[in-house]
Amino acid sequence: MGNVAVVGAQWGDEGKGKIVDWLSSRADVVVRFQGGHNAGHTLVVDDVVYKLSLLPAGVVRGGKLSVIGNGVVIDPWALLDEIETVAAKGVVVGPETLAIAENVCLILPIHRELDQARETARGGAKLGTTGRGIGPAYEDKVGRRAIRLCDLRDVETLRPRLGELLLHHNALRRGFGMEDARAETLESDLLAVAPRLLPFAAPVWRLLDRARHARKRILYEGAQGAMLDIDHGTYPFVTSSNTVAGQAAAGAGVGPGTIGYVLGITKAYTTRVGGGPFPTELEDEIGRGLGERGREFGTVTGRPRRCGWFDAVLVRQAVKIGGIRGIALTKLDVLDGMSELRVCTGYRDGEGGPLDHIPSAAADQARVEPVYETLDGWQESTRGARSWADLPATAVKYIRRIEELIEAPVAMLSTSPEREDTILVHDPFAD
């Protein structure tokens, strides 16, 4: 079909930005289909670093149409700031290169304030949200009281919508000891940015349908990872949207049959930001070493990521849930110089019994213990390798064992943040 969906197969931060950027050279349209500016992609192009949170990775390549689908929630001010930031680096973003679904829901200052108030009230039981209002914005979407981009076209539509929204939010704000939000202030702020946002608004579903009929190649770009999925992740330590490939259809306004190849992104080890279970976490010198060599700090928050061994159980589950046909394995070079490596091949439950998946209940997740297999490491450098012949034999053996355990082939291999340091085994667009 020539259409590819790229999704994370761990807890996010797998290196999707580079892979999407690399694949976008083969695509005509790049679509972001879920999440908000709580997600971040770091791209390195000709030694220029781009940190994107809402803009699809395709914006840094000329001649591509970038699309923000209806499944995303948008902070208007954050988006405009991001557009200005990339413009300062020579990337021009205009209505001819970026389309935003007119029915996309907006993140307002009241969402951010509520998000932060809730995290503060949780004390030591924080979920680890970014505090950017994504969760409350999705709540309002499901509660049918959200403000959508199309609402900014008509103040007579916007005003009663804001009144309904604040009826809900001000009740919550009083419970947290916060002052009531004023509809007049929100209305004024939104109408001020409307002229800058509305030129991007479009019926995205129709644009994508026309692109498909014109046999354009479409790349669907996911954010976060499968284990942060609101339904299938390590609940409640998850994000507020569906992160698996099935959401690409609903979040962009296309039929599920139009999604062709699903490429899952996974690191050669495992990381996680924030709270929640992490069976293979290493709170020792090895874990700290992985974090230092891999520069494991959140693109959005700057928080250090927790690091651990590769968890094949977790990734295999993501493969099954997400319909992943192939894996892009990233950051292999971070493992260079290690004498031995461990891979989680199974779990033990709280009573010591075998377990081949991550259980749904939070209490059961917390009791999971990893079962490891030890593999030889390698001393040679894999950084910058662009062919299998450049890889040490033990590195190839490590990759082949991962393929066996996760029951999916490695379609791509990334050996540095640089765009061209990529080994292509199978071109997803070839299917």
Side-chain angles (χ1 to χ4, degrees), residues 79-423:
L79 176 60
L80 292 171
D81 284 347
E82 193 171 322
I83 290 173
E84 290 179 359
T85 298
V86 298
K89 297 183 177 183
V91 178
V92 179
V93 180
E96 66 284 354
T97 59
L98 175 67
I100 304 175
E102 58 189 359
N103 55 336
V104 77
C105 293
L106 304 181
I107 302 173
L108 307 180
I110 55 174
H111 294 125
R112 182 178 64 253
E113 292 160 3
L114 177 59
D115 200 355
Q116 294 171 0
R118 283 174 170 168
E119 279 290 87
T120 299
R122 289 186 180 107
K126 288 181 172 63
L127 293 178
T129 77
T130 60
R132 300 197 168 198
I134 281 77
Y138 273 116
E139 290 176 34
D140 285 342
K141 177 179 180 176
V142 175
R144 293 165 289 187
R145 54 182 172 264
I147 304 300
R148 303 191 299 173
L149 180 56
C150 55
D151 295 332
L152 304 189
R153 292 185 177 130
D154 180 12
V155 68
E156 299 306 320
T157 298
L158 178 62
R159 191 165 292 152
R161 298 289 298 153
L162 284 171
E164 181 183 353
L165 179 65
L166 290 187
L167 182 67
H168 173 80
H169 272 265
N170 282 336
L172 292 174
R173 293 170 72 90
R174 291 170 200 144
F176 284 106
M178 303 163 66
E179 292 184 0
D180 281 7
R182 294 174 54 83
E184 297 83 357
T185 302
L186 282 176
E187 179 183 313
S188 175
D189 290 346
L190 286 169
L191 292 179
V193 297
R196 299 172 64 190
L197 282 177
L198 286 174
F200 297 103
V204 157
W205 63 269
R206 189 170 63 189
L207 290 178
L208 294 176
D209 183 64
R210 289 174 175 172
R212 185 172 64 86
H213 281 91
R215 304 186 69 81
K216 302 288 187 181
R217 288 180 167 182
I218 304 173
L219 181 63
Y220 296 91
E221 172 190 342
Q224 290 107 7
M227 291 301 122
L228 291 176
D229 186 278
I230 187 66
D231 288 305
H232 303 291
T234 48
Y235 191 93
F237 299 95
V238 293
T239 193
S240 301
S241 61
N242 288 111
T243 62
V244 294
Q247 176 63 18
V254 299
T258 65
I259 308 297
Y261 192 96
V262 179
L263 180 70
I265 317 298
T266 178
K267 285 176 181 167
Y269 51 101
T270 311
T271 64
R272 177 166 199 169
V273 172
F278 187 168
T280 66
E281 183 173 11
L282 294 168
E283 299 181 90
D284 57 12
E285 186 176 339
I286 296 175
R288 288 188 292 273
L290 289 172
E292 291 168 3
R293 291 193 301 277
R295 299 180 182 179
E296 296 295 353
F297 297 91
T299 299
V300 170
T301 64
R303 290 181 293 182
R305 297 173 184 142
R306 300 153 64 190
C307 299
W309 296 119
F310 186 84
D311 189 336
V313 182
L314 179 148
V315 176
R316 183 172 63 242
Q317 189 164 330
V319 166
K320 306 296 185 185
I321 292 169
I324 292 171
R325 294 176 57 188
I327 288 288
L329 190 68
T330 67
K331 291 200 169 184
L332 182 70
D333 56 301
V334 175
L335 302 181
D336 292 353
M338 300 183 72
S339 59
E340 67 176 32
L341 304 170
R342 305 181 81 186
V343 175
C344 176
T345 59
Y347 297 144
R348 292 191 183 90
D349 62 22
E351 297 179 355
L355 196 60
D356 64 355
H357 66 283
I358 298 175
S360 296
D364 293 337
Q365 292 171 1
R367 288 192 290 266
V368 160
E369 294 183 2
V371 175
Y372 288 116
E373 176 179 311
T374 301
L375 300 172
D376 291 334
W378 54 90
Q379 299 305 306
E380 304 94 324
S381 173
T382 63
R383 188 174 179 84
R386 298 184 181 182
S387 72
W388 284 107
D390 296 333
L391 298 176
T394 46
V396 174
K397 184 177 180 181
Y398 181 76
I399 295 165
R400 295 306 186 203
R401 182 57 177 149
I402 283 176
E403 290 179 316
E404 292 173 358
L405 291 169
I406 67 174
E407 300 177 20
V410 170
M412 298 176 67
L413 187 67
S414 171
T415 56
S416 93
E418 295 295 333
R419 177 185 281 174
E420 300 306 325
D421 290 342
T422 305
I423 300 172

